Amino acid sequence: MEYEEERQRLIDSLREQGIGEKVLEAMNRVPRDLFIPKKLQSAAYCDSPLPIGNKQTISAPHMVAIMCDLLEIKKGDIILEIGAGSGYNAAVMAELTGPEGKIYSIERIPALGKFAKENLLKAGYDNVTVIVADGTMGYKEHAPYDRICVTSAAPSIPEPLVEQLREGGIMVIPVGKYMQRLLLIRKQLDGSIEERDCGGVIFVPLVGKYGFHIHE
Ligand code: SAH
């Protein structure tokens, strides 16, 4: 396979950063070069975000790794992702759930929804469904979710997402305006929420009813 050496080097550096073996194995199986525009393909295995059009970016590999690690994804999990973008993060999560799991990934920008769908098809992931909609509303159709992964920055935690998280479920979400805190949310069995601050991060904004409001 092309880029095998580059990918192995990236995985080794993520291991040194403390990422768990399960997530490393999953990332080692996903060809990131299939999820970025052709002209950037040679940079696919650099640990940095890359532009994917419409002012959006594919997250840096270490960010995907950290979020997937925090989510403690298990085989068979039903996952909601907000912000499909390139589809890469969804593909890594699909490796972690296995074919018995399912990822619903919501994307606000139609052109990127199409991009994510095409990339996932090319890479052979058929347990990811991409939906073009406002993800701040969640996706009631298949709730509750075992895990929710929000890949853009919210002004605060959107209420519908808390409602649609299963009791015992885990959500990761960057919260804040310019620089954000990555929050790990655990919904207890009594429905209450436990919150942990996992450090400073920078994401593109979550735009929508329960997100930021912008004028385009
Ligand atoms: N997970 C992606 C990262 C994409 S960047 C990847 O692996 O490539 C974040 C994405 O969130 C952008 O594509 C942006 O358009 C999308 N986004 C922003 N607000 C949104 C909303 N309310 N609903 C769904 N997607 C949203």
Side-chain angles (χ1 to χ4, degrees), residues 56-57 81 83-86 89 106-109 112 134-135 151 205 207:
Q56 307 303 321
T57 51
E81 178 185 37
S86 67
N89 197 348
I106 317 289
E107 174 53 52
R108 183 180 80 92
I109 300 173
L112 288 176
D134 175 8
T151 66
V207 176

Side-chain angles (χ1 to χ4, degrees), residues 32 35-36 50 52-60 64 67 81-91 93 105-110 112-113 115-116 119 131-138 149-153 203-212:
R32 190 168 185 256
F35 291 85
I36 55 179
L50 294 166
I52 52 172
N54 296 79
K55 294 196 243 165
Q56 307 303 321
T57 51
I58 177 174
S59 308
V64 173
M67 290 179 107
E81 178 185 37
I82 314 301
S86 67
Y88 176 73
N89 197 348
M93 295 195 293
S105 185
I106 317 289
E107 174 53 52
R108 183 180 80 92
I109 300 173
L112 288 176
F115 183 59
N119 296 342
I131 299 122
V132 173
D134 175 8
T136 68
M137 308 290 290
C149 185
V150 183
T151 66
S152 48
F203 279 82
V204 296
L206 177 73
V207 176
K209 184 160 184 230
Y210 292 90
F212 289 105

Side-chain angles (χ1 to χ4, degrees), residues 3-199:
Y3 299 116
E4 201 155 335
E5 257 174 53
E6 286 93 332
R7 184 157 65 230
Q8 195 53 57
R9 228 173 295 140
L10 173 64
I11 299 296
D12 290 344
S13 92
L14 294 174
R15 180 176 292 111
E16 278 163 29
Q17 294 172 49
I19 301 301
E21 278 309 315
K22 267 194 195 164
V23 171
L24 295 178
E25 270 168 35
M27 289 181 72
N28 210 3
R29 286 195 294 266
V30 182
R32 190 168 185 256
D33 49 287
L34 296 186
F35 291 85
I36 55 179
K38 265 219 161 64
K39 60 179 189 297
L40 296 174
Q41 259 171 18
S42 60
Y45 296 95
C46 296
D47 192 5
S48 68
L50 294 166
I52 52 172
N54 296 79
K55 294 196 243 165
Q56 307 303 321
T57 51
I58 177 174
S59 308
H62 73 271
M63 204 62 251
V64 173
I66 288 170
M67 290 179 107
C68 287
D69 230 11
L70 289 171
L71 281 169
E72 298 173 25
I73 296 167
K74 294 185 181 58
K75 294 273 175 228
D77 275 352
I78 309 296
I79 303 183
L80 178 66
E81 178 185 37
I82 314 301
S86 67
Y88 176 73
N89 197 348
V92 174
M93 295 195 293
E95 286 285 352
L96 288 161
T97 66
E100 61 269 46
K102 176 86 197 179
I103 321 294
Y104 297 95
S105 185
I106 317 289
E107 174 53 52
R108 183 180 80 92
I109 300 173
L112 288 176
K114 185 166 173 271
F115 183 59
K117 267 184 214 175
E118 287 169 358
N119 296 342
L120 287 158
L121 192 71
K122 253 190 309 187
Y125 292 95
D126 50 15
N127 59 336
V128 182
T129 300
V130 178
I131 299 122
V132 173
D134 175 8
T136 68
M137 308 290 290
Y139 188 55
K140 264 203 177 134
E141 282 80 344
H142 296 279
Y145 299 97
D146 298 307
R147 302 289 184 262
I148 299 182
C149 185
V150 183
T151 66
S152 48
S156 58
I157 303 166
E159 198 46 47
L161 299 186
V162 176
E163 277 163 23
Q164 293 174 30
L165 184 62
R166 183 188 297 287
E167 275 90 34
I170 305 176
M171 164 161 61
V172 286
I173 179 169
V175 175
K177 197 159 185 187
Y178 298 108
M179 286 175 70
Q180 306 101 34
R181 310 303 300 177
L182 183 63
L183 301 185
L184 176 69
I185 310 290
R186 275 174 195 272
K187 193 171 186 175
Q188 311 297 305
L189 295 179
D190 64 4
S192 66
I193 291 300
E194 186 192 280
E195 197 180 297
R196 193 177 109 204
D197 185 331
C198 298

